[in-house]
Amino acid sequence: MIVRSIAPEGMPRAAGAEGQALLDEIWAHFKTHQSWPTFDDIDRKLYAAGRNYEEAVQQLCPALLRGISSDILRMPQGSDPLSLTIAGAANCADADSVLDEFLRMVRTAASIEPHFRSTEPGEQPRLLPKDLDLPIQSPKARLKIKLWDLMKLQAFKAAALGLHEPCFRGGATNVADLTWSLVFDRGIRPYASVQRLDDYWRVRERVAEPDRVEAENRPFHKGPASNLLPPPPQAPVVPLLAGLSQKAPSVAAESSEPMSVTCTLHPLIATVAEERYRRGAYNDAVRSAFQEVEHRVATLVGGNLVGAPLMGMAFGTKPDPPKIKVTRFTGASLDSEQTGMQFLFKGAMHAVRNPLSHGPDEKFDRDEAEEMLVFASFLMRRLDIEDDKRKAAASSP
Protein backbone atom coordinates (compact mmCIF):
# COMPACT_ATOMS: atom_id res chain seq x y z
CA MET A 1 0.00 0.00 0.00
CA ILE A 2 1.30 3.48 -0.90
CA VAL A 3 1.38 5.87 2.02
CA ARG A 4 1.68 9.55 1.25
CA SER A 5 4.53 11.40 2.91
CA ILE A 6 3.06 14.71 4.05
CA ALA A 7 5.54 17.55 4.41
CA PRO A 8 6.19 18.51 8.05
CA GLU A 9 4.49 21.50 9.57
CA GLY A 10 6.03 24.75 8.38
CA MET A 11 6.93 23.48 4.91
CA PRO A 12 4.90 24.60 1.86
CA ARG A 13 2.19 22.33 0.45
CA ALA A 14 0.02 22.24 -2.63
CA ALA A 15 -3.07 24.41 -2.25
CA GLY A 16 -5.36 21.95 -4.03
CA ALA A 17 -5.78 18.56 -5.69
CA GLU A 18 -4.68 19.84 -9.12
CA GLY A 19 -1.38 21.10 -7.75
CA GLN A 20 -0.82 17.88 -5.82
CA ALA A 21 -1.44 15.88 -9.00
CA LEU A 22 1.24 17.92 -10.77
CA LEU A 23 3.76 17.17 -8.00
CA ASP A 24 2.83 13.47 -8.06
CA GLU A 25 3.31 13.19 -11.83
CA ILE A 26 6.76 14.77 -11.65
CA TRP A 27 7.84 12.54 -8.76
CA ALA A 28 6.46 9.38 -10.41
CA HIS A 29 8.50 10.08 -13.55
CA PHE A 30 11.60 10.81 -11.49
CA LYS A 31 11.24 7.60 -9.45
CA THR A 32 10.93 5.52 -12.62
CA HIS A 33 13.54 7.14 -14.86
CA GLN A 34 15.95 8.78 -12.36
CA SER A 35 15.68 11.95 -14.42
CA TRP A 36 13.31 14.89 -14.29
CA PRO A 37 10.51 14.98 -16.86
CA THR A 38 10.15 17.66 -19.49
CA PHE A 39 7.28 20.10 -19.53
CA ASP A 40 5.78 18.25 -22.52
CA ASP A 41 5.86 14.96 -20.57
CA ILE A 42 3.89 16.39 -17.66
CA ASP A 43 1.55 18.58 -19.67
CA ARG A 44 0.40 15.62 -21.76
CA LYS A 45 -0.10 13.38 -18.71
CA LEU A 46 -2.17 16.01 -16.96
CA TYR A 47 -4.24 16.59 -20.09
CA ALA A 48 -4.83 12.86 -20.56
CA ALA A 49 -6.07 12.69 -16.97
CA GLY A 50 -8.51 15.54 -17.57
CA ARG A 51 -6.43 18.10 -15.65
CA ASN A 52 -5.18 21.51 -16.68
CA TYR A 53 -1.56 22.58 -16.21
CA GLU A 54 -2.38 26.28 -15.84
CA GLU A 55 -4.84 25.55 -13.03
CA ALA A 56 -2.53 23.08 -11.31
CA VAL A 57 0.55 25.29 -11.26
CA GLN A 58 -1.31 28.19 -9.61
CA GLN A 59 -1.79 25.92 -6.58
CA LEU A 60 1.99 25.64 -6.18
CA CYS A 61 4.91 27.98 -5.51
CA PRO A 62 8.65 28.09 -6.39
CA ALA A 63 9.48 26.53 -3.00
CA LEU A 64 7.86 23.33 -4.35
CA LEU A 65 8.57 23.34 -8.08
CA ARG A 66 11.47 24.44 -10.29
CA GLY A 67 11.76 24.86 -14.02
CA ILE A 68 9.09 27.47 -14.76
CA SER A 69 8.80 31.22 -14.47
CA SER A 70 6.91 32.65 -11.51
CA ASP A 71 4.75 34.32 -14.17
CA ILE A 72 2.84 31.41 -15.70
CA LEU A 73 2.04 33.47 -18.78
CA ARG A 74 5.61 32.65 -19.80
CA MET A 75 5.04 28.99 -20.68
CA PRO A 76 8.05 26.67 -20.46
CA GLN A 77 9.49 25.26 -23.65
CA GLY A 78 8.48 21.69 -24.31
CA SER A 79 11.95 20.32 -23.57
CA ASP A 80 12.46 22.29 -20.35
CA PRO A 81 12.81 19.95 -17.35
CA LEU A 82 10.49 20.33 -14.36
CA SER A 83 12.01 19.37 -11.03
CA LEU A 84 10.93 19.32 -7.40
CA THR A 85 12.54 20.97 -4.44
CA ILE A 86 13.01 19.11 -1.17
CA ALA A 87 9.63 20.49 -0.09
CA GLY A 88 8.02 19.35 -3.32
CA ALA A 89 9.32 15.80 -2.85
CA ALA A 90 8.19 15.81 0.79
CA ASN A 91 4.61 16.17 -0.45
CA CYS A 92 4.85 13.07 -2.63
CA ALA A 93 4.42 9.36 -1.99
CA ASP A 94 7.36 7.14 -1.08
CA ALA A 95 9.90 9.95 -0.83
CA ASP A 96 10.95 9.34 2.79
CA SER A 97 14.00 7.18 2.09
CA VAL A 98 15.35 9.61 -0.52
CA LEU A 99 14.81 12.56 1.80
CA ASP A 100 16.57 10.74 4.66
CA GLU A 101 19.51 10.13 2.34
CA PHE A 102 19.55 13.81 1.38
CA LEU A 103 19.75 14.82 5.05
CA ARG A 104 22.66 12.40 5.50
CA MET A 105 24.41 14.06 2.56
CA VAL A 106 23.93 17.47 4.15
CA ARG A 107 25.42 16.33 7.47
CA THR A 108 28.30 14.56 5.71
CA ALA A 109 29.15 17.65 3.65
CA ALA A 110 29.05 19.81 6.79
CA SER A 111 31.49 17.44 8.49
CA ILE A 112 33.88 17.53 5.50
CA GLU A 113 33.90 21.31 4.94
CA PRO A 114 36.11 22.39 7.92
CA HIS A 115 38.84 19.93 6.92
CA PHE A 116 38.91 20.65 3.18
CA ARG A 117 42.16 22.06 1.80
CA SER A 118 42.11 23.37 -1.78
CA THR A 119 44.81 22.44 -4.26
CA GLU A 120 44.17 25.40 -6.58
CA PRO A 121 42.69 28.89 -6.18
CA GLY A 122 38.92 28.98 -6.16
CA GLU A 123 38.52 25.22 -5.71
CA GLN A 124 35.54 24.22 -3.58
CA PRO A 125 34.86 20.97 -1.74
CA ARG A 126 32.67 18.37 -3.42
CA LEU A 127 30.61 15.58 -1.95
CA LEU A 128 31.02 12.32 -3.90
CA PRO A 129 29.43 8.85 -3.59
CA LYS A 130 32.55 7.53 -1.89
CA ASP A 131 32.02 9.97 0.96
CA LEU A 132 28.79 8.23 2.02
CA ASP A 133 30.42 4.93 3.04
CA LEU A 134 28.02 2.65 1.18
CA PRO A 135 28.29 -1.05 2.11
CA ILE A 136 31.05 -2.92 0.29
CA GLN A 137 29.74 -4.72 -2.78
CA SER A 138 30.30 -8.45 -2.36
CA PRO A 139 30.13 -10.83 -5.36
CA LYS A 140 29.30 -13.72 -2.97
CA ALA A 141 26.15 -12.23 -1.52
CA ARG A 142 23.39 -11.54 -4.03
CA LEU A 143 21.30 -9.87 -1.35
CA LYS A 144 24.13 -7.46 -0.54
CA ILE A 145 24.52 -6.62 -4.21
CA LYS A 146 20.83 -5.79 -4.48
CA LEU A 147 21.03 -3.72 -1.30
CA TRP A 148 24.10 -1.88 -2.60
CA ASP A 149 22.39 -1.12 -5.90
CA LEU A 150 19.32 0.15 -4.08
CA MET A 151 21.36 2.43 -1.84
CA LYS A 152 23.33 3.70 -4.82
CA LEU A 153 20.06 4.53 -6.58
CA GLN A 154 18.66 6.27 -3.50
CA ALA A 155 21.84 8.34 -3.17
CA PHE A 156 21.61 9.38 -6.82
CA LYS A 157 18.01 10.52 -6.38
CA ALA A 158 18.93 12.42 -3.23
CA ALA A 159 21.80 14.13 -5.06
CA ALA A 160 19.48 15.11 -7.91
CA LEU A 161 17.20 16.75 -5.35
CA GLY A 162 20.08 18.44 -3.57
CA LEU A 163 21.59 19.80 -6.76
CA HIS A 164 19.47 22.96 -6.60
CA GLU A 165 19.05 23.27 -2.84
CA PRO A 166 20.67 26.41 -1.38
CA CYS A 167 22.79 24.44 1.10
CA PHE A 168 24.79 23.22 -1.90
CA ARG A 169 26.36 25.27 -4.69
CA GLY A 170 25.48 23.09 -7.63
CA GLY A 171 27.13 19.96 -8.92
CA ALA A 172 26.50 17.32 -11.57
CA THR A 173 24.62 14.06 -12.08
CA ASN A 174 24.97 11.36 -14.73
CA VAL A 175 22.00 9.03 -14.95
CA ALA A 176 23.86 6.63 -17.27
CA ASP A 177 26.04 5.32 -14.44
CA LEU A 178 24.31 6.97 -11.45
CA THR A 179 27.36 9.07 -10.60
CA TRP A 180 27.01 12.51 -9.03
CA SER A 181 28.81 15.27 -7.17
CA LEU A 182 27.60 18.17 -5.04
CA VAL A 183 29.61 21.37 -4.52
CA PHE A 184 29.46 23.21 -1.20
CA ASP A 185 31.22 25.93 0.76
CA ARG A 186 31.00 27.53 4.19
CA GLY A 187 27.26 27.97 3.60
CA ILE A 188 26.81 24.31 4.56
CA ARG A 189 27.80 24.97 8.18
CA PRO A 190 24.39 25.99 9.57
CA TYR A 191 23.01 22.61 8.46
CA ALA A 192 25.58 20.50 10.33
CA SER A 193 23.18 19.16 12.96
CA VAL A 194 19.96 18.73 10.95
CA GLN A 195 18.32 15.38 11.69
CA ARG A 196 14.78 15.89 10.45
CA LEU A 197 13.25 17.54 7.45
CA ASP A 198 11.59 20.28 9.48
CA ASP A 199 15.01 21.06 11.05
CA TYR A 200 16.47 21.45 7.59
CA TRP A 201 13.65 23.68 6.36
CA ARG A 202 13.86 25.98 9.39
CA VAL A 203 17.59 26.46 8.82
CA ARG A 204 17.01 26.94 5.09
CA GLU A 205 14.58 29.80 5.69
CA ARG A 206 16.64 31.30 8.51
CA VAL A 207 19.82 31.68 6.46
CA ALA A 208 18.08 32.83 3.27
CA GLU A 209 17.38 36.45 2.51
CA PRO A 210 13.82 37.42 3.59
CA ASP A 211 12.99 38.63 0.07
CA ARG A 212 13.94 35.26 -1.39
CA VAL A 213 11.89 33.34 1.18
CA GLU A 214 8.88 35.52 0.44
CA ALA A 215 9.28 35.10 -3.33
CA GLU A 216 9.67 31.31 -3.07
CA ASN A 217 6.48 30.95 -1.02
CA ARG A 218 4.40 33.22 -3.26
CA PRO A 219 2.12 31.15 -5.55
CA PHE A 220 2.81 31.06 -9.27
CA HIS A 221 0.68 33.75 -10.84
CA LYS A 222 -0.24 35.57 -14.01
CA GLY A 223 1.74 38.76 -13.99
CA PRO A 224 5.25 40.24 -14.29
CA ALA A 225 7.97 37.62 -13.92
CA SER A 226 10.05 37.90 -10.78
CA ASN A 227 12.70 35.20 -11.22
CA LEU A 228 14.85 37.00 -13.76
CA LEU A 229 18.03 38.88 -13.04
CA PRO A 230 17.16 42.29 -11.64
CA PRO A 231 17.38 45.07 -14.23
CA PRO A 232 20.55 47.18 -14.30
CA PRO A 233 20.46 50.75 -13.00
CA GLN A 234 18.80 53.23 -15.32
CA ALA A 235 21.32 54.39 -17.90
CA PRO A 236 21.18 57.54 -20.05
CA VAL A 237 18.77 56.92 -22.89
CA VAL A 238 20.57 56.44 -26.20
CA PRO A 239 18.49 56.06 -29.39
CA LEU A 240 18.85 52.54 -30.74
CA LEU A 241 19.69 53.80 -34.22
CA ALA A 242 22.00 56.63 -33.16
CA GLY A 243 24.73 57.22 -35.72
CA LEU A 244 22.74 55.88 -38.66
CA SER A 245 21.70 57.93 -41.64
CA GLN A 246 18.89 60.40 -41.10
CA LYS A 247 17.16 58.61 -43.98
CA ALA A 248 16.39 55.64 -41.72
CA PRO A 249 12.69 54.86 -41.27
CA SER A 250 11.11 57.51 -39.10
CA VAL A 251 9.32 55.08 -36.74
CA ALA A 252 12.56 53.35 -35.75
CA ALA A 253 14.53 56.59 -35.56
CA GLU A 254 12.05 58.09 -33.11
CA SER A 255 12.60 55.29 -30.56
CA SER A 256 13.87 56.69 -27.26
CA GLU A 257 14.35 53.35 -25.48
CA PRO A 258 17.62 51.39 -25.61
CA MET A 259 17.28 47.78 -26.67
CA SER A 260 17.24 45.34 -23.75
CA VAL A 261 16.64 41.62 -23.49
CA THR A 262 15.96 39.25 -20.60
CA CYS A 263 16.45 35.52 -20.28
CA THR A 264 16.06 32.80 -17.69
CA LEU A 265 19.45 31.35 -16.81
CA HIS A 266 20.13 27.62 -17.09
CA PRO A 267 19.24 26.02 -13.73
CA LEU A 268 22.80 24.83 -13.06
CA ILE A 269 24.14 28.35 -13.62
CA ALA A 270 21.40 30.00 -11.57
CA THR A 271 22.04 27.62 -8.69
CA VAL A 272 25.72 28.46 -8.28
CA ALA A 273 25.49 32.15 -9.22
CA GLU A 274 22.24 33.53 -7.83
CA GLU A 275 23.18 34.00 -4.16
CA ARG A 276 26.55 35.51 -5.04
CA TYR A 277 25.04 37.80 -7.67
CA ARG A 278 22.33 39.12 -5.36
CA ARG A 279 24.84 40.12 -2.67
CA GLY A 280 26.94 41.96 -5.25
CA ALA A 281 29.79 39.42 -5.53
CA TYR A 282 29.74 39.60 -9.32
CA ASN A 283 33.21 38.18 -9.93
CA ASP A 284 32.48 35.26 -7.64
CA ALA A 285 29.16 34.62 -9.39
CA VAL A 286 30.79 34.54 -12.82
CA ARG A 287 33.73 32.43 -11.63
CA SER A 288 31.38 29.88 -10.07
CA ALA A 289 29.32 29.73 -13.26
CA PHE A 290 32.27 28.93 -15.50
CA GLN A 291 33.72 26.47 -12.99
CA GLU A 292 30.38 24.70 -13.15
CA VAL A 293 30.60 24.56 -16.96
CA GLU A 294 34.12 23.14 -16.65
CA HIS A 295 33.03 20.54 -14.10
CA ARG A 296 30.11 19.37 -16.23
CA VAL A 297 32.37 18.90 -19.26
CA ALA A 298 34.84 16.97 -17.09
CA THR A 299 32.02 14.77 -15.81
CA LEU A 300 30.84 14.02 -19.34
CA VAL A 301 34.26 13.02 -20.70
CA GLY A 302 36.18 11.78 -17.66
CA GLY A 303 39.96 12.07 -17.27
CA ASN A 304 42.11 14.53 -15.37
CA LEU A 305 42.35 17.48 -17.76
CA VAL A 306 41.05 20.90 -16.76
CA GLY A 307 40.54 24.29 -18.40
CA ALA A 308 41.29 24.87 -22.08
CA PRO A 309 43.06 21.49 -22.60
CA LEU A 310 39.93 19.77 -21.33
CA MET A 311 37.79 21.68 -23.83
CA GLY A 312 40.17 20.92 -26.68
CA MET A 313 40.01 17.21 -25.89
CA ALA A 314 36.23 17.18 -25.37
CA PHE A 315 35.19 19.15 -28.45
CA GLY A 316 38.13 18.58 -30.79
CA THR A 317 37.43 17.03 -34.18
CA LYS A 318 40.89 15.72 -35.11
CA PRO A 319 42.16 13.06 -35.26
CA ASP A 320 39.37 11.35 -33.28
CA PRO A 321 35.67 12.23 -33.30
CA PRO A 322 34.66 14.74 -30.59
CA LYS A 323 33.68 13.23 -27.26
CA ILE A 324 30.97 15.87 -26.85
CA LYS A 325 28.80 17.02 -29.76
CA VAL A 326 26.79 20.16 -29.13
CA THR A 327 25.86 21.02 -32.70
CA ARG A 328 22.43 21.91 -34.06
CA PHE A 329 23.23 22.27 -37.78
CA THR A 330 23.71 19.45 -40.26
CA GLY A 331 25.40 18.99 -43.61
CA ALA A 332 28.27 21.24 -44.63
CA SER A 333 27.90 23.43 -41.54
CA LEU A 334 28.33 20.58 -39.03
CA ASP A 335 32.14 20.57 -38.78
CA SER A 336 32.28 24.36 -38.80
CA GLU A 337 29.82 24.62 -35.93
CA GLN A 338 31.61 21.95 -33.86
CA THR A 339 34.93 23.75 -34.33
CA GLY A 340 33.32 27.05 -33.38
CA MET A 341 31.86 25.55 -30.21
CA GLN A 342 35.27 24.17 -29.33
CA PHE A 343 36.72 27.68 -29.63
CA LEU A 344 33.89 29.12 -27.52
CA PHE A 345 34.43 26.62 -24.71
CA LYS A 346 38.23 27.00 -24.85
CA GLY A 347 37.89 30.79 -25.01
CA ALA A 348 35.62 30.75 -21.96
CA MET A 349 38.37 29.00 -20.00
CA HIS A 350 41.18 31.25 -21.29
CA ALA A 351 39.34 34.57 -21.10
CA VAL A 352 36.99 34.16 -18.12
CA ARG A 353 37.53 31.14 -15.91
CA ASN A 354 41.35 31.31 -15.66
CA PRO A 355 41.71 35.08 -15.01
CA LEU A 356 38.97 34.98 -12.37
CA SER A 357 40.49 31.94 -10.65
CA HIS A 358 44.11 33.05 -10.70
CA GLY A 359 43.95 36.86 -10.75
CA PRO A 360 44.67 39.69 -10.76
CA ASP A 361 41.17 40.50 -9.57
CA GLU A 362 39.67 42.89 -12.10
CA LYS A 363 36.13 43.74 -10.98
CA PHE A 364 33.13 43.16 -13.22
CA ASP A 365 30.32 45.67 -13.05
CA ARG A 366 26.79 44.30 -12.92
CA ASP A 367 26.08 44.69 -16.64
CA GLU A 368 29.18 42.75 -17.64
CA ALA A 369 28.55 40.09 -15.01
CA GLU A 370 25.05 39.55 -16.40
CA GLU A 371 26.47 39.18 -19.91
CA MET A 372 29.00 36.62 -18.68
CA LEU A 373 26.30 34.65 -16.86
CA VAL A 374 24.19 34.54 -20.01
CA PHE A 375 27.23 33.28 -21.94
CA ALA A 376 27.81 30.55 -19.34
CA SER A 377 24.12 29.66 -19.54
CA PHE A 378 24.39 29.35 -23.34
CA LEU A 379 27.32 26.95 -22.99
CA MET A 380 25.44 24.91 -20.38
CA ARG A 381 22.38 24.60 -22.62
CA ARG A 382 24.60 23.33 -25.42
CA LEU A 383 25.86 20.65 -23.03
CA ASP A 384 22.23 19.67 -22.51
CA ILE A 385 22.26 18.48 -26.14
CA GLU A 386 24.95 15.90 -25.38
CA ASP A 387 23.31 14.96 -22.09
CA ASP A 388 19.94 14.39 -23.76
CA LYS A 389 21.52 12.18 -26.43
CA ARG A 390 23.20 10.04 -23.78
CA LYS A 391 20.00 9.69 -21.78
CA ALA A 392 18.12 8.67 -24.91
CA ALA A 393 20.78 6.09 -25.77
CA ALA A 394 20.76 4.73 -22.21
CA SER A 395 16.97 4.31 -22.20
CA SER A 396 16.73 2.69 -25.64
CA PRO A 397 16.65 -1.12 -25.96
Side-chain angles (χ1 to χ4, degrees):
M1 182 178 69
I2 295 177
V3 179
R4 179 170 302 286
S5 172
I6 297 298
E9 191 69 30
M11 295 182 71
R13 300 178 182 180
E18 299 286 328
Q20 184 63 54
L22 176 53
L23 296 178
D24 289 340
E25 288 289 359
I26 295 173
W27 182 251
H29 185 285
F30 179 66
K31 281 200 310 179
T32 303
H33 302 285
Q34 291 80 59
S35 62
W36 296 113
T38 65
F39 170 72
D40 275 350
D41 292 331
I42 298 303
D43 185 47
R44 292 191 182 106
K45 287 182 179 179
L46 290 176
Y47 183 74
R51 299 182 183 275
N52 181 278
Y53 163 79
E54 287 83 352
E55 293 178 8
V57 77
Q58 291 182 79
Q59 298 176 4
L60 304 176
C61 62
L64 295 167
L65 173 65
R66 291 191 177 93
I68 64 173
S69 169
S70 59
D71 173 12
I72 65 170
L73 293 177
R74 297 186 58 192
M75 295 285 286
Q77 295 184 15
S79 60
D80 287 349
L82 301 184
S83 62
L84 301 185
T85 66
I86 289 298
N91 281 277
C92 296
D94 296 340
D96 288 344
S97 58
V98 176
L99 295 172
D100 288 342
E101 186 68 6
F102 166 76
L103 293 176
R104 187 163 77 102
M105 289 179 173
V106 173
R107 294 192 297 270
T108 303
S111 69
I112 291 174
E113 191 272 334
H115 309 290
F116 174 75
R117 301 294 180 268
S118 61
T119 57
E120 62 176 70
E123 183 184 11
Q124 293 180 323
R126 294 179 182 272
L127 185 70
L128 301 170
K130 65 181 180 62
D131 298 317
L132 297 182
D133 296 326
L134 295 177
I136 297 176
Q137 192 172 15
S138 171
K140 297 181 180 179
R142 181 173 299 178
L143 181 61
K144 287 185 178 180
I145 293 175
K146 290 183 177 179
L147 177 62
W148 191 89
D149 287 341
L150 176 61
M151 295 182 70
K152 181 181 179 182
L153 182 59
Q154 296 290 69
F156 178 84
K157 292 177 179 177
L161 276 174
L163 197 63
H164 303 300
E165 282 297 306
C167 59
F168 292 108
R169 297 294 182 254
T173 58
N174 188 343
V175 70
D177 56 6
L178 299 184
T179 56
W180 53 269
S181 67
L182 293 172
V183 180
F184 55 94
D185 58 17
R186 67 192 308 274
I188 197 72
R189 296 175 188 176
Y191 301 91
S193 61
V194 296
Q195 297 293 329
R196 304 193 314 268
L197 205 54
D198 53 348
D199 294 335
Y200 170 79
W201 199 258
R202 278 194 293 270
V203 175
R204 187 186 191 273
E205 293 203 324
R206 188 181 72 237
V207 301
E209 296 179 359
D211 289 346
R212 175 172 180 166
V213 173
E214 180 184 357
E216 283 192 338
N217 286 278
R218 188 183 304 130
F220 292 107
H221 61 282
K222 296 180 180 179
S226 60
N227 68 334
L228 303 180
L229 291 176
Q234 185 65 39
V237 175
V238 178
L240 181 60
L241 300 181
L244 296 183
S245 167
Q246 295 299 318
K247 295 181 181 179
S250 59
V251 173
E254 290 173 1
S255 172
S256 61
E257 292 295 329
M259 178 180 177
S260 64
V261 295
T262 58
C263 74
T264 302
L265 295 179
H266 188 283
L268 295 179
I269 298 301
T271 296
V272 299
E274 180 181 13
E275 186 273 335
R276 294 169 170 85
Y277 174 89
R278 293 194 182 281
R279 60 180 165 85
Y282 301 132
N283 277 36
D284 196 20
V286 174
R287 176 172 53 245
S288 299
F290 282 90
Q291 286 176 340
E292 192 63 23
V293 170
E294 177 188 39
H295 176 66
R296 192 177 184 194
V297 172
T299 302
L300 286 169
V301 301
N304 299 316
L305 294 177
V306 297
L310 168 66
M311 303 305 162
M313 179 269 289
F315 299 95
T317 58
K318 296 178 181 179
D320 300 318
K323 292 180 170 56
I324 297 178
K325 294 183 179 179
V326 292
T327 51
R328 296 189 184 278
F329 291 92
T330 58
S333 298
L334 179 61
D335 289 342
S336 175
E337 185 187 7
Q338 180 70 26
T339 301
M341 294 306 303
Q342 178 193 15
F343 289 157
L344 286 177
F345 276 89
K346 289 180 71 173
M349 297 298 105
H350 279 306
V352 184
R353 186 269 192 200
N354 290 351
L356 285 174
S357 296
H358 306 303
D361 196 8
E362 298 292 336
K363 297 294 185 183
F364 284 144
D365 61 25
R366 184 161 70 173
D367 287 354
E368 190 172 7
E370 289 180 2
E371 292 164 354
M372 292 296 99
L373 291 176
V374 170
F375 178 37
S377 184
F378 164 75
L379 297 179
M380 198 65 86
R381 292 193 192 282
R382 282 303 181 107
L383 293 176
D384 287 346
I385 296 174
E386 174 70 18
D387 224 2
D388 290 344
K389 286 189 294 188
R390 295 189 183 192
K391 290 176 182 177
S395 62
S396 63

